[in-house]
Each structure stands twice: as structure tokens, then as C-alpha cells.
Amino acid sequence: AQSVTQPDIHITVSEGASLELRCNYSYGATPYLFWYVQSPGQGLQLLLKYFSGDTLVQGIKGFEAEFKRSQSSFNLRKPSVHWSDAAEYFCAVGAGGSSNTGKLIFGQGTTLQVKP
Amino acid sequence: GAVVSQHPSRVICKSGTSVKIECRSLDFQATTMFWYRQFPKQSLMLMATSNEGSKATYEQGVEKDKFLINHASLTLSTLTVTSAHPEDSSFYICSPRAGASLEQFFGPGTRLTVL
């Protein structure tokens, strides 16, 4: 079955420290992969996406993610976290290539808390 | 990015009433609309998919007679929660898509609270 797993429900990091949020997926076909951020009571903002090509993708707000097919992972990273990065982060997967329907499967989310 | 609006942003209603949520794509034509639901502290779950002018396709476990979706135009889709009950309290998010575009846009969401 298709699924997305974010192993870490809650992560706390100090401001200025590096961050890595994990995402593993199970998908039979070539996946399209996304990371979204959601502030409390707000909608989703796209951080970055992977469709094809370079497996290291750059996003907004200094985030990057690396697609590792062999590990079925798409981990999100940021070298130096800012207090404003505190939010809920969702990894999502959709069917890639000609199978793309636009439907997305979301992970459970990771809550990021930033300590001063 | 594309501009997507939802109205209302928040709604509180009594149990048994119906609530209509509007989703508008303001600067592109949404040939497909996805409706997601997010319960507190949980992830987004796809409820249904609709194509403009066609009946919606519902995900397993979602009652089509309870969640009525209308996608009559390329810029407007509505989700009506009929005879709402407290367990329908959730955050409803629309996601319009233009044609076969790979871009995924999301509305700001509607917080529904059923008393």
C-alpha cells in the first residue's frame, strides 16, 4: 500500500542549530515528493518538490531535501534554524510521470519547536 | 504562486445544520479540485476529487451523500457538509489543479466547528 511515514512526531532544536526532518515513503511507481509547512490554523505552504533530475532540491526559506531512491527517503534539511521556522511540517507523495493524478498522500506531520 | 481562496475561514454551526464551503481559484482555471480534511493534530486526508462538470469521486469511507461537492465552473468549487455533527468538526482544505499541471496549490482552509 502507498504510504508516507514521518518517524518523528515532535522535534525540538535550538535556534541556529541544524535540522533534519525524516520522511520515508512506500510507493509502487515513480513518486513525486513534496514538503509543506503549516503554521497553526493556517493552510499549507510548499517548501520544495521533487519531480525528476537532480536528487538534491532547493526550496524556499533555506530548506533543501534529498531524494534517495535506494532508501525510499526524502529528508528535509536546513543548516541553521530560525525561531520563525517553528511549525508543522508535512511530507507528501504523489504518483509521478504519466500516472500523475494530482492526489497526494501525506505523512503524519512533524511538529518543530525552536528553543531560543 | 497561484491564489486560492476559501470562504468562510471559520464557521460554527449547530448539530443537524448544513454548511457550505467555497473554494475559488482566483488566477487560474481549476479543471480538477481535491478536497482534504484535517482533524486536530492529524495529517491531511483526501476526501474526494472532482473534475469540472463531472460528479465527484469519493475516497473510501467518505459518505458522498453527506459531503456534497459541486464543481460547476473552472474557478469555483463548493463542499457542503449536510446535517453536520460534532464528529465532522475539522479543517477542510481545497486543492485546485489546472489541467495536467504538476503544481499543487492549497486553499487557506476552513475551520468547521459543530456544536
Side-chain angles (χ1 to χ4, degrees), chain A residues 6 32 34 36 38 41-44 46 49 51 88 90 97 100-109, chain B residues 10 32 34 36 38 41-44 46 49 59 91 93 97 100-104 106-109 111:
Chain A
Q6 293 178 244
Y32 287 163
F34 306 81
Y36 291 90
Q38 184 182 38
Q42 303 296 311
L44 298 177
L46 178 67
K49 58 185 182 284
F51 292 155
E88 187 84 11
F90 292 98
N100 181 258
T101 62
K103 292 184 181 182
L104 293 182
I105 299 171
F106 285 84
Q108 304 92 317
Chain B
R10 291 178 178 270
T32 303
F34 301 97
Y36 291 84
Q38 184 182 27
K41 304 292 186 183
Q42 295 188 27
S43 189
L44 283 77
L46 181 65
T49 305
E59 297 298 303
F91 195 52
I93 304 173
R97 177 183 175 184
S101 170
L102 299 180
E103 296 296 328
Q104 304 281 158
F106 289 85
R111 172 77 59 195

Side-chain angles (χ1 to χ4, degrees), chain B:
Chain B
V3 180
V4 182
S5 69
Q6 278 186 242
H7 179 78
S9 57
R10 291 178 178 270
V11 56
I12 301 173
C13 68
K14 293 182 178 179
S15 184
T17 61
S18 294
V19 174
K20 180 184 284 187
I21 301 169
E22 294 185 348
C23 175
R24 296 181 185 272
S25 52
L26 302 180
D27 55 356
F28 69 100
Q29 294 185 327
T31 50
T32 303
M33 184 69 73
F34 301 97
W35 284 95
Y36 291 84
R37 177 169 57 182
Q38 184 182 27
F39 291 109
K41 304 292 186 183
Q42 295 188 27
S43 189
L44 283 77
M45 298 294 290
L46 181 65
M47 298 176 65
T49 305
S50 70
N51 292 306
E52 185 260 340
S54 303
K55 286 185 177 180
T57 302
Y58 292 81
E59 297 298 303
Q60 191 173 7
V62 178
E63 300 173 58
K64 61 181 179 64
D65 294 328
K66 182 171 184 61
F67 298 98
L68 303 180
I69 292 173
N70 184 287
H71 191 176
S73 82
L74 291 173
T75 59
L76 172 65
S77 176
T78 61
L79 167 67
T80 301
V81 183
T82 62
S83 187
H85 287 92
E87 58 265 30
D88 298 323
S89 297
S90 188
F91 195 52
Y92 292 87
I93 304 173
C94 66
S95 178
R97 177 183 175 184
S101 170
L102 299 180
E103 296 296 328
Q104 304 281 158
F105 302 109
F106 289 85
T110 296
R111 172 77 59 195
L112 170 64
T113 302
V114 185
L115 303 177

Side-chain angles (χ1 to χ4, degrees), chain A residues 2-59:
Chain A
Q2 302 158 355
S3 65
V4 179
T5 301
Q6 293 178 244
D8 306 304
I9 296 174
H10 194 112
I11 283 184
T12 301
V13 299
S14 298
E15 191 169 16
S18 62
L19 170 71
E20 181 171 36
L21 301 183
R22 295 182 291 166
C23 173
N24 294 97
Y25 66 90
S26 174
Y27 209 81
T30 301
Y32 287 163
L33 295 156
F34 306 81
W35 273 99
Y36 291 90
V37 60
Q38 184 182 38
S39 297
Q42 303 296 311
L44 298 177
Q45 181 181 23
L46 178 67
L47 288 175
L48 47 78
K49 58 185 182 284
Y50 172 79
F51 292 155
S52 65
D54 193 345
T55 56
L56 183 63
V57 294
Q58 302 297 321

Side-chain angles (χ1 to χ4, degrees), chain A residues 47-92:
Chain A
L47 288 175
L48 47 78
K49 58 185 182 284
Y50 172 79
F51 292 155
S52 65
D54 193 345
T55 56
L56 183 63
V57 294
Q58 302 297 321
I60 63 171
K61 304 184 178 185
F63 286 94
E64 67 175 26
E66 186 171 11
F67 171 54
K68 293 186 177 180
R69 186 185 298 276
S70 61
Q71 298 178 20
S72 297
S73 70
F74 189 56
N75 295 346
L76 181 72
R77 299 193 294 253
K78 186 169 184 177
S80 178
V81 170
H82 188 263
W83 65 267
S84 61
D85 293 325
E88 187 84 11
Y89 290 81
F90 292 98
C91 179

